[in-house]
Amino acid sequence: MLDFEKFVKYSKPGPRYTSYPTALEFSDAYKYEDYIKKLEDQDPSRPLSLYFHLPFCRNACYFCGCNVVFTSKEDKMVRYIKYLKRELEILAKHVDCSREVIQMHFGGGTPTFFSAQQLQEIIDAIRSKFQNFAQDAEISCEIDPRHIDEDQMRVLSSSGFNRVSFGIQDFNEKVQVAVHRVQPYEITKNAMDLARKYNMISVNTDLIYGLPYQTLETFKETLSLALTLQPDRFAVFNYAHVPWLKKTMRKIDETTLPLPEEKLHIMQYTIDFLTSHGYKMVGMDHFAKPEDELFKAIDKGELHRNFQGYTTKGGADLIGVGLTSIGEGVDSYNQNFKTMQEYEASIDNKKLPFERGVVLSKDDQIRQYVIMELMSNFKLDIKRFEKLFSIKFHEYFADAVEELKVFVDEDLLSINDEFIVCSETGTLLIRNIAMPFDAYMKRHALNKKTFSKTV
Ligand SMILES: C[S@@+](CC[C@H](N)C(=O)[O-])C[C@H]1O[C@@H](n2cnc3c(N)ncnc32)[C@H](O)[C@@H]1O
Ligand code: SF4
């Protein structure tokens, strides 16, 4: 049983580490020409992972932390497709498109806000450039169950999409009203049935805990209902409340948000409930069936974390296409423009819509490895690390190990010469455990309004 008081005291702002360094370190010191050179110098034997950002939604869910463009205007969407195609044309001049694609993801916003025909048009444009998809490529799409019909699902399925994730968030009506996302159970069920009818290999759902009016009791009901849908994977996200960054979050009355202690009860219950119903926890916020390939990857120490969550497909260069998309190379991150105006202007100038990024120093790469291992596998194989970087771990990270002593003393973590291993309860504080390895943390610690809270 968790010692909740102990946990609550660790509730503090911290990154979610979908990247290291985090996006806060991306800057315009990384220039367009440098980015193009990096793209052109990529090792052609490395496979590709493609991300397409399809940012549109009609109405705002108040909790939404994604990069969304709210619109009901058809011409805006038609125009976006035109620009995406032009971005692909420019990209093809700098990237060897014959490289093998092992992963492709459509994220949003709501990709299925585009009609079946429009989705087909986007996919055809991609396939005309990137023709070497691996047989077992993981091709996935985020879907809002309120915006999916059979024609769209048919297009996705016939185009090779094999994974879909559906946003549920919460089934409780009061919670749904408070976050401006009313979505009856039947709608979600019908959408998931459709995905199965079209043979999607992995049909997944997203839930969020920490939303207004949620209590342990309401979330128990949400989980029971979600379980009846038998998703292959559950993502159960901790609500990242950052109203200083996202205007729509200001519509949420903060006094209705569950307190850290309640959230921990919810998370603990979620773990107990899902593990007693045939799921196992993966990484920080995912659950999957034991036969899921993610677990084989964990056993081999090959689970990876990227912007879309956890994956078995590591070792690829990530190329992000579309507004705000992030790309990742061996030693760099890059991000596209965030405003449509700048995004379009760049493409009009026949340039990729690159805005900023970061090139990783050796120290960044070392810390990135440690942080990503902890976030994905909840452990670090110190001997493997030392072999990889020719560094003595305990010397290099003497400060971090010292900082981690509080977690060791509380049995949340064990550290010896060979391994760092989180205890089962320590996994709930993995962001806190990763933070001492973050060289930029001290700078940001001064500014509380940077990250969401870890608990
Ligand atoms: C782009 S959305 C998914 C697709 C679709 N737009 C939908 O909402 O169904 C990706 C997921 O991010 C999660 N999410 C969005 N905002 C969040 C926040 N502030 N904190 C935690 N998770 C969040 C939600 O679970 C959501 O389903
Ligand atoms: S949660 Fe999904 S549907 Fe809601 S605003 Fe965000 S991207 Fe759009």
Side-chain angles (χ1 to χ4, degrees):
M1 192 59 196
L2 288 181
D3 177 346
F4 287 102
E5 269 179 28
K6 188 156 75 187
F7 275 79
V8 171
K9 78 174 180 231
Y10 291 121
S11 173
K12 67 174 186 180
R16 298 164 55 81
Y17 293 120
T18 43
S19 69
Y20 180 83
T22 68
L24 278 182
E25 311 311 324
F26 297 4
S27 81
D28 52 15
Y30 185 25
K31 299 270 179 259
Y32 184 79
E33 295 68 31
D34 303 331
Y35 167 58
I36 294 294
K37 180 148 182 7
K38 280 250 179 252
L39 268 186
E40 292 179 348
D41 287 350
Q42 281 184 353
D43 175 356
S45 69
R46 275 170 64 86
L48 290 172
S49 171
L50 306 176
Y51 173 78
F52 290 85
H53 193 65
L54 305 179
F56 300 102
C57 286
R58 185 155 301 155
N59 298 307
C61 308
Y62 294 158
F63 60 80
C64 183
C66 309
N67 288 312
V68 186
V69 175
F70 296 104
T71 190
S72 54
K73 294 202 175 92
E74 179 65 19
D75 56 335
K76 269 201 180 180
M77 301 181 52
V78 171
R79 189 179 164 106
Y80 189 71
I81 297 178
K82 200 174 94 190
Y83 276 90
L84 267 190
K85 286 179 169 175
R86 290 172 64 190
E87 185 181 352
L88 276 171
E89 290 293 337
I90 306 171
L91 195 61
K93 292 192 179 128
H94 304 293
V95 174
D96 175 357
C97 297
S98 69
R99 287 163 68 188
E100 187 178 42
V101 178
I102 58 167
Q103 198 175 38
M104 178 166 86
H105 185 77
F106 279 13
T110 298
T112 51
F113 210 50
F114 286 96
S115 68
Q117 223 179 357
Q118 290 171 327
L119 285 171
Q120 189 68 66
E121 194 182 342
I122 295 168
I123 295 163
D124 288 347
I126 298 167
R127 293 268 189 181
S128 75
K129 292 282 171 247
F130 295 93
Q131 297 181 1
N132 183 16
F133 274 69
Q135 274 276 302
D136 63 345
E138 206 177 273
I139 309 185
S140 51
C141 184
E142 291 168 9
I143 299 180
D144 178 341
R146 300 167 301 171
H147 293 283
I148 180 78
D149 62 25
E150 188 148 0
D151 288 343
Q152 291 168 307
M153 193 64 85
R154 194 181 297 115
V155 164
L156 292 177
S157 169
S158 65
S159 308
F161 279 74
N162 44 34
R163 295 174 176 273
V164 281
S165 62
F166 291 98
I168 296 177
Q169 327 310 349
D170 193 296
F171 278 123
N172 183 277
E173 221 182 300
K174 191 170 176 185
V175 176
Q176 289 192 353
V177 169
V179 298
H180 202 235
R181 183 187 178 118
V182 175
Q183 180 180 320
Y185 171 83
E186 284 308 317
I187 287 188
T188 309
K189 181 169 184 334
N190 292 343
M192 289 178 69
D193 287 348
L194 201 56
R196 294 206 162 101
K197 180 173 167 193
Y198 282 87
N199 302 319
M200 292 294 165
I201 296 172
S202 194
V203 179
N204 309 317
T205 57
D206 298 340
L207 297 175
I208 302 183
Y209 71 99
L211 294 177
Y213 298 110
Q214 271 178 345
T215 63
L216 178 58
E217 289 314 308
T218 66
F219 208 71
K220 278 182 182 176
E221 284 166 24
T222 286
L223 281 172
S224 296
L225 276 175
L227 186 70
T228 63
L229 301 167
Q230 281 293 303
D232 296 286
R233 292 179 190 167
F234 274 100
V236 187
F237 297 118
N238 180 356
Y239 171 44
H241 186 59
V242 285
W244 55 92
L245 295 177
K246 296 281 170 189
K247 257 194 195 155
T248 53
M249 290 183 186
R250 293 178 204 161
K251 300 207 172 169
I252 289 181
D253 173 359
E254 289 182 350
T255 63
T256 64
L257 294 175
L259 297 172
E261 190 164 342
E262 186 80 15
K263 286 174 71 179
L264 276 165
H265 278 291
I266 292 175
M267 193 53 199
Q268 178 68 65
Y269 179 83
T270 303
I271 295 170
D272 294 344
F273 180 80
L274 293 180
T275 46
S276 67
H277 286 89
Y279 292 85
K280 268 172 72 177
M281 199 172 177
V282 192
M284 188 170 70
D285 37 27
H286 284 62
F287 297 83
K289 304 221 168 129
E291 58 275 15
D292 197 301
E293 58 180 10
L294 291 176
F295 295 106
K296 279 185 217 114
I298 292 177
D299 291 342
K300 290 193 225 152
E302 287 174 0
L303 186 69
H304 300 276
R305 181 167 169 79
N306 64 16
F307 295 97
Q308 283 85 55
Y310 291 96
T311 175
T312 57
K313 308 265 184 203
D317 290 323
L318 169 68
I319 301 215
V321 185
L323 195 71
T324 77
S325 294
I326 294 180
E328 179 181 359
V330 180
D331 62 353
S332 62
Y333 292 103
N334 60 279
Q335 183 163 28
N336 279 353
F337 281 109
K338 290 194 182 130
T339 69
M340 201 62 95
Q341 213 179 7
E342 290 168 297
Y343 172 76
E344 290 183 354
S346 185
I347 294 173
D348 285 339
N349 283 330
K350 302 192 171 38
K351 288 169 91 178
L352 285 175
F354 164 92
E355 184 183 26
R356 59 200 187 117
V358 64
V359 176
L360 277 67
S361 66
K362 188 78 195 160
D363 179 65
D364 289 333
Q365 290 177 54
I366 291 166
R367 291 171 188 275
Q368 179 191 51
Y369 180 88
V370 173
I371 289 174
M372 290 306 173
E373 280 296 301
L374 289 171
M375 296 299 295
S376 309
N377 299 305
F378 294 141
K379 67 175 182 209
L380 177 77
D381 182 335
I382 292 177
K383 294 290 165 215
R384 190 168 162 169
F385 165 89
E386 292 187 332
K387 215 162 137 194
L388 202 62
F389 292 101
S390 306
I391 279 174
K392 290 215 176 346
F393 178 85
H394 283 277
E395 279 177 22
Y396 199 86
F397 286 119
D399 286 3
V401 171
E402 182 63 31
E403 257 185 79
L404 287 173
K405 268 201 176 131
V406 283
F407 298 104
V408 175
D409 291 346
E410 305 219 29
D411 291 329
L412 298 165
L413 194 67
S414 69
I415 307 179
N416 57 33
D417 286 345
E418 293 192 5
F419 288 102
I420 294 185
V421 184
C422 288
S423 71
E424 210 173 297
T425 43
T427 58
L428 294 180
L429 289 166
I430 192 64
R431 289 161 72 185
N432 299 64
I433 289 168
M435 273 189 249
F437 295 100
D438 182 338
Y440 303 94
M441 205 55 224
K442 308 238 163 7
R443 199 184 310 161
H444 299 308
L446 301 173
N447 181 4
K448 281 199 170 146
K449 288 203 161 173
T450 308
F451 300 110
S452 60
K453 286 203 177 141
T454 55
V455 178

